[in-house]
Amino acid sequence: MHEEVSWAGVIAVAVPSILLNVAPNVTVTLQTALLGSYGGSSMQAGFGAVATTANTICFLFNFLTDGVSAKLGNNAGAKDWAMLQRHVRLALICGLAGGALACCTLAALKQPVTLLLQLQPDVLHEATPYWWIRVGITPLVLLNMTLSGILQGFNRVTAVSLLISGQALLEIAGSVLVFKAGLALHGSYLRSMGLVTLLSAFIAACVGLVLVKLFPPVMTQATAEAVAPLLTEDHASPLPLPAPLAPFPSMSPFTQTKSHW
Protein backbone atom coordinates (compact mmCIF):
# COMPACT_ATOMS: atom_id res chain seq x y z
CA MET A 1 0.00 0.00 0.00
CA HIS A 2 1.39 3.34 -1.03
CA GLU A 3 1.07 6.31 1.26
CA GLU A 4 -0.78 9.26 -0.20
CA VAL A 5 1.45 12.18 -1.03
CA SER A 6 0.68 15.30 0.97
CA TRP A 7 1.17 18.19 -1.42
CA ALA A 8 0.76 20.65 1.42
CA GLY A 9 3.70 18.98 3.18
CA VAL A 10 5.77 19.05 -0.02
CA ILE A 11 5.08 22.75 -0.52
CA ALA A 12 5.81 23.48 3.14
CA VAL A 13 9.30 22.03 2.64
CA ALA A 14 9.89 23.29 -0.91
CA VAL A 15 9.09 26.97 -0.36
CA PRO A 16 11.61 27.52 2.48
CA SER A 17 14.24 25.60 0.48
CA ILE A 18 13.65 27.82 -2.55
CA LEU A 19 14.00 30.94 -0.40
CA LEU A 20 17.27 29.62 1.02
CA ASN A 21 18.81 29.36 -2.44
CA VAL A 22 17.21 32.38 -4.12
CA ALA A 23 17.56 35.14 -1.51
CA PRO A 24 21.38 35.61 -1.61
CA ASN A 25 21.48 35.53 -5.43
CA VAL A 26 18.67 38.07 -5.72
CA THR A 27 20.54 40.36 -3.34
CA VAL A 28 23.74 40.27 -5.39
CA THR A 29 21.80 40.78 -8.64
CA LEU A 30 19.98 43.85 -7.35
CA GLN A 31 23.15 45.33 -5.86
CA THR A 32 24.95 44.88 -9.19
CA ALA A 33 22.07 46.58 -11.02
CA LEU A 34 22.07 49.49 -8.58
CA LEU A 35 25.81 49.97 -8.94
CA GLY A 36 25.50 49.94 -12.71
CA SER A 37 22.72 52.54 -12.63
CA TYR A 38 24.08 54.90 -9.97
CA GLY A 39 27.76 54.15 -9.49
CA GLY A 40 29.13 53.52 -12.95
CA SER A 41 31.11 50.71 -14.52
CA SER A 42 34.16 51.06 -12.28
CA MET A 43 32.11 50.46 -9.11
CA GLN A 44 30.28 47.60 -10.78
CA ALA A 45 33.55 45.97 -11.81
CA GLY A 46 35.05 46.45 -8.35
CA PHE A 47 31.98 44.94 -6.70
CA GLY A 48 32.04 41.93 -9.02
CA ALA A 49 35.72 41.21 -8.38
CA VAL A 50 35.52 41.53 -4.59
CA ALA A 51 32.13 39.89 -4.00
CA THR A 52 32.93 36.87 -6.18
CA THR A 53 36.27 36.28 -4.45
CA ALA A 54 34.88 36.79 -0.93
CA ASN A 55 31.87 34.51 -1.49
CA THR A 56 34.07 31.78 -2.95
CA ILE A 57 36.45 31.89 0.03
CA CYS A 58 33.54 31.71 2.48
CA PHE A 59 32.00 28.68 0.80
CA LEU A 60 35.36 26.94 0.66
CA PHE A 61 35.97 27.35 4.39
CA ASN A 62 32.40 26.39 5.30
CA PHE A 63 33.47 22.73 4.94
CA LEU A 64 34.79 22.97 8.52
CA THR A 65 31.22 23.12 9.84
CA ASP A 66 29.36 21.05 7.24
CA GLY A 67 30.40 17.70 8.70
CA VAL A 68 29.57 18.68 12.27
CA SER A 69 26.21 20.22 11.37
CA ALA A 70 25.23 17.06 9.49
CA LYS A 71 25.56 15.04 12.70
CA LEU A 72 23.04 17.19 14.56
CA GLY A 73 20.07 15.61 12.82
CA ASN A 74 21.29 12.13 13.78
CA ASN A 75 21.77 13.21 17.40
CA ALA A 76 18.28 14.71 17.52
CA GLY A 77 16.73 11.59 15.99
CA ALA A 78 18.51 9.39 18.53
CA LYS A 79 17.56 11.79 21.36
CA ASP A 80 21.22 11.95 22.32
CA TRP A 81 21.04 15.43 23.82
CA ALA A 82 24.49 15.35 25.42
CA MET A 83 26.16 14.58 22.10
CA LEU A 84 23.93 17.13 20.37
CA GLN A 85 25.14 19.82 22.75
CA ARG A 86 28.78 18.89 22.12
CA HIS A 87 28.26 18.98 18.35
CA VAL A 88 26.55 22.37 18.52
CA ARG A 89 29.46 23.73 20.53
CA LEU A 90 31.95 22.13 18.11
CA ALA A 91 30.10 23.59 15.10
CA LEU A 92 30.32 27.08 16.57
CA ILE A 93 34.02 26.67 17.32
CA CYS A 94 34.66 25.41 13.78
CA GLY A 95 32.63 28.30 12.37
CA LEU A 96 34.67 30.87 14.28
CA ALA A 97 37.93 29.14 13.33
CA GLY A 98 36.85 28.95 9.70
CA GLY A 99 35.93 32.63 9.79
CA ALA A 100 39.38 33.56 11.09
CA LEU A 101 41.11 31.46 8.43
CA ALA A 102 38.88 32.81 5.66
CA CYS A 103 39.51 36.37 6.85
CA CYS A 104 43.29 35.90 6.69
CA THR A 105 43.06 34.14 3.31
CA LEU A 106 40.94 36.89 1.76
CA ALA A 107 43.33 39.56 3.04
CA ALA A 108 46.32 37.68 1.59
CA LEU A 109 44.61 37.26 -1.79
CA LYS A 110 44.10 40.96 -2.46
CA GLN A 111 47.32 41.52 -4.37
CA PRO A 112 47.26 38.22 -6.32
CA VAL A 113 43.63 38.78 -7.38
CA THR A 114 44.41 42.36 -8.40
CA LEU A 115 47.24 41.15 -10.60
CA LEU A 116 45.28 38.21 -11.97
CA LEU A 117 42.27 40.28 -12.97
CA GLN A 118 44.43 43.21 -14.08
CA LEU A 119 42.15 45.71 -12.38
CA GLN A 120 42.48 49.22 -13.75
CA PRO A 121 43.35 52.10 -11.38
CA ASP A 122 39.79 53.49 -11.35
CA VAL A 123 38.37 50.05 -10.55
CA LEU A 124 41.04 49.42 -7.93
CA HIS A 125 40.26 52.79 -6.32
CA GLU A 126 36.66 51.65 -5.75
CA ALA A 127 37.44 48.02 -4.96
CA THR A 128 40.15 48.48 -2.31
CA PRO A 129 38.01 49.96 0.53
CA TYR A 130 35.24 47.48 -0.23
CA TRP A 131 37.74 44.60 -0.17
CA TRP A 132 38.81 45.41 3.38
CA ILE A 133 35.21 45.79 4.51
CA ARG A 134 34.49 42.33 3.12
CA VAL A 135 37.56 41.00 4.94
CA GLY A 136 36.01 42.25 8.18
CA ILE A 137 32.62 40.74 7.32
CA THR A 138 34.03 37.27 6.58
CA PRO A 139 33.95 35.92 10.18
CA LEU A 140 30.30 36.97 10.48
CA VAL A 141 29.47 35.26 7.20
CA LEU A 142 31.00 31.98 8.39
CA LEU A 143 29.21 32.29 11.73
CA ASN A 144 25.89 32.81 9.93
CA MET A 145 26.55 29.76 7.76
CA THR A 146 27.23 27.74 10.90
CA LEU A 147 24.04 28.93 12.60
CA SER A 148 22.03 28.06 9.50
CA GLY A 149 23.57 24.58 9.49
CA ILE A 150 22.71 24.09 13.17
CA LEU A 151 19.10 25.14 12.63
CA GLN A 152 18.82 22.81 9.64
CA GLY A 153 20.18 20.01 11.83
CA PHE A 154 17.40 20.87 14.26
CA ASN A 155 14.95 20.48 11.35
CA ARG A 156 14.04 24.14 11.65
CA VAL A 157 14.01 24.77 7.89
CA THR A 158 11.40 27.52 8.09
CA ALA A 159 13.45 29.39 10.69
CA VAL A 160 16.53 29.18 8.47
CA SER A 161 14.66 30.44 5.42
CA LEU A 162 13.19 33.35 7.38
CA LEU A 163 16.62 34.20 8.79
CA ILE A 164 18.35 34.22 5.41
CA SER A 165 15.44 35.94 3.63
CA GLY A 166 15.27 38.57 6.36
CA GLN A 167 18.97 39.29 6.02
CA ALA A 168 18.60 39.57 2.23
CA LEU A 169 15.65 41.96 2.51
CA LEU A 170 17.50 44.08 5.07
CA GLU A 171 20.56 44.27 2.82
CA ILE A 172 18.47 45.10 -0.26
CA ALA A 173 16.54 47.82 1.58
CA GLY A 174 19.75 49.31 2.94
CA SER A 175 21.39 49.28 -0.49
CA VAL A 176 18.39 50.98 -2.11
CA LEU A 177 18.40 53.61 0.64
CA VAL A 178 22.11 54.28 0.08
CA PHE A 179 21.63 54.98 -3.62
CA LYS A 180 18.27 56.75 -3.46
CA ALA A 181 19.40 59.06 -0.64
CA GLY A 182 22.85 59.63 -2.13
CA LEU A 183 24.64 58.28 0.94
CA ALA A 184 28.04 57.85 -0.65
CA LEU A 185 30.67 57.47 2.09
CA HIS A 186 33.73 59.51 1.04
CA GLY A 187 32.24 59.69 -2.44
CA SER A 188 31.90 55.91 -2.80
CA TYR A 189 28.56 54.12 -2.97
CA LEU A 190 30.41 50.81 -2.86
CA ARG A 191 31.92 51.63 0.52
CA SER A 192 28.49 52.54 1.91
CA MET A 193 26.99 49.35 0.50
CA GLY A 194 29.73 47.36 2.20
CA LEU A 195 28.77 48.86 5.56
CA VAL A 196 25.14 47.91 4.87
CA THR A 197 26.27 44.33 4.28
CA LEU A 198 28.28 44.40 7.51
CA LEU A 199 25.29 45.65 9.51
CA SER A 200 22.88 43.12 8.03
CA ALA A 201 25.33 40.25 8.69
CA PHE A 202 25.76 41.36 12.31
CA ILE A 203 21.99 41.55 12.88
CA ALA A 204 21.53 38.12 11.24
CA ALA A 205 24.19 36.62 13.52
CA CYS A 206 22.48 38.01 16.64
CA VAL A 207 19.07 36.72 15.52
CA GLY A 208 20.57 33.36 14.55
CA LEU A 209 22.09 32.89 18.00
CA VAL A 210 18.72 33.66 19.58
CA LEU A 211 16.96 31.15 17.30
CA VAL A 212 19.45 28.42 18.15
CA LYS A 213 18.92 29.13 21.84
CA LEU A 214 15.13 29.31 21.75
CA PHE A 215 14.25 26.60 19.22
CA PRO A 216 15.56 23.14 20.11
CA PRO A 217 15.13 20.22 17.67
CA VAL A 218 11.52 19.51 16.73
CA MET A 219 9.97 16.28 18.00
CA THR A 220 10.77 13.53 15.54
CA GLN A 221 8.36 10.82 14.39
CA ALA A 222 10.24 8.27 16.51
CA THR A 223 9.73 10.40 19.61
CA ALA A 224 6.03 10.85 18.83
CA GLU A 225 5.60 7.08 18.41
CA ALA A 226 7.28 6.52 21.77
CA VAL A 227 4.89 8.93 23.47
CA ALA A 228 1.72 7.65 21.74
CA PRO A 229 1.29 4.41 23.82
CA LEU A 230 1.26 6.48 27.00
CA LEU A 231 -1.69 8.46 25.68
CA THR A 232 -3.73 5.38 24.73
CA GLU A 233 -3.03 3.27 27.84
CA ASP A 234 -6.06 1.36 29.13
CA HIS A 235 -7.27 3.33 32.14
CA ALA A 236 -8.88 0.17 33.61
CA SER A 237 -5.53 -1.53 33.87
CA PRO A 238 -4.54 -2.37 37.47
CA LEU A 239 -0.97 -1.49 36.69
CA PRO A 240 0.04 2.12 37.30
CA LEU A 241 0.69 4.25 34.27
CA PRO A 242 4.29 5.17 33.56
CA ALA A 243 5.41 8.56 34.74
CA PRO A 244 4.80 11.19 32.07
CA LEU A 245 7.71 12.21 29.96
CA ALA A 246 9.29 15.54 30.68
CA PRO A 247 8.26 18.32 28.27
CA PHE A 248 10.38 18.28 25.16
CA PRO A 249 12.09 21.67 25.69
CA SER A 250 13.60 20.36 28.90
CA MET A 251 15.46 17.77 26.83
CA SER A 252 17.06 20.52 24.84
CA PRO A 253 20.82 20.74 25.19
CA PHE A 254 20.45 24.42 25.91
CA THR A 255 18.47 23.99 29.15
CA GLN A 256 20.75 21.46 30.84
CA THR A 257 22.31 22.68 34.04
CA LYS A 258 25.37 20.49 34.05
CA SER A 259 27.15 22.31 31.28
CA HIS A 260 27.25 25.79 29.89
CA TRP A 261 28.06 27.44 26.57
Side-chain angles (χ1 to χ4, degrees), residues 116-170:
L116 179 65
L117 299 180
Q118 297 182 346
L119 299 180
Q120 299 301 313
D122 57 335
V123 176
L124 193 59
H125 174 73
E126 296 292 345
T128 298
Y130 183 61
W131 187 288
W132 294 116
I133 292 175
R134 289 302 298 260
V135 168
I137 296 173
T138 301
L140 284 174
V141 174
L142 266 294
L143 177 59
N144 287 336
M145 288 180 171
T146 301
L147 294 172
S148 296
I150 292 173
L151 289 170
Q152 289 185 39
F154 288 179
N155 199 23
R156 298 289 185 176
V157 180
T158 302
V160 178
S161 65
L162 291 176
L163 177 64
I164 293 179
S165 301
Q167 180 183 356
L169 289 175
L170 182 62

Side-chain angles (χ1 to χ4, degrees), residues 11 18 23 41 48 53 69 87 97-98 105 110 132 139 143 167 170 198 213 229 237 245 249 251:
I11 293 174
I18 291 172
S41 58
T53 306
S69 298
H87 280 150
T105 302
K110 180 184 178 300
W132 294 116
L143 177 59
Q167 180 183 356
L170 182 62
L198 173 62
K213 179 72 174 179
S237 172
L245 295 178
M251 295 187 288

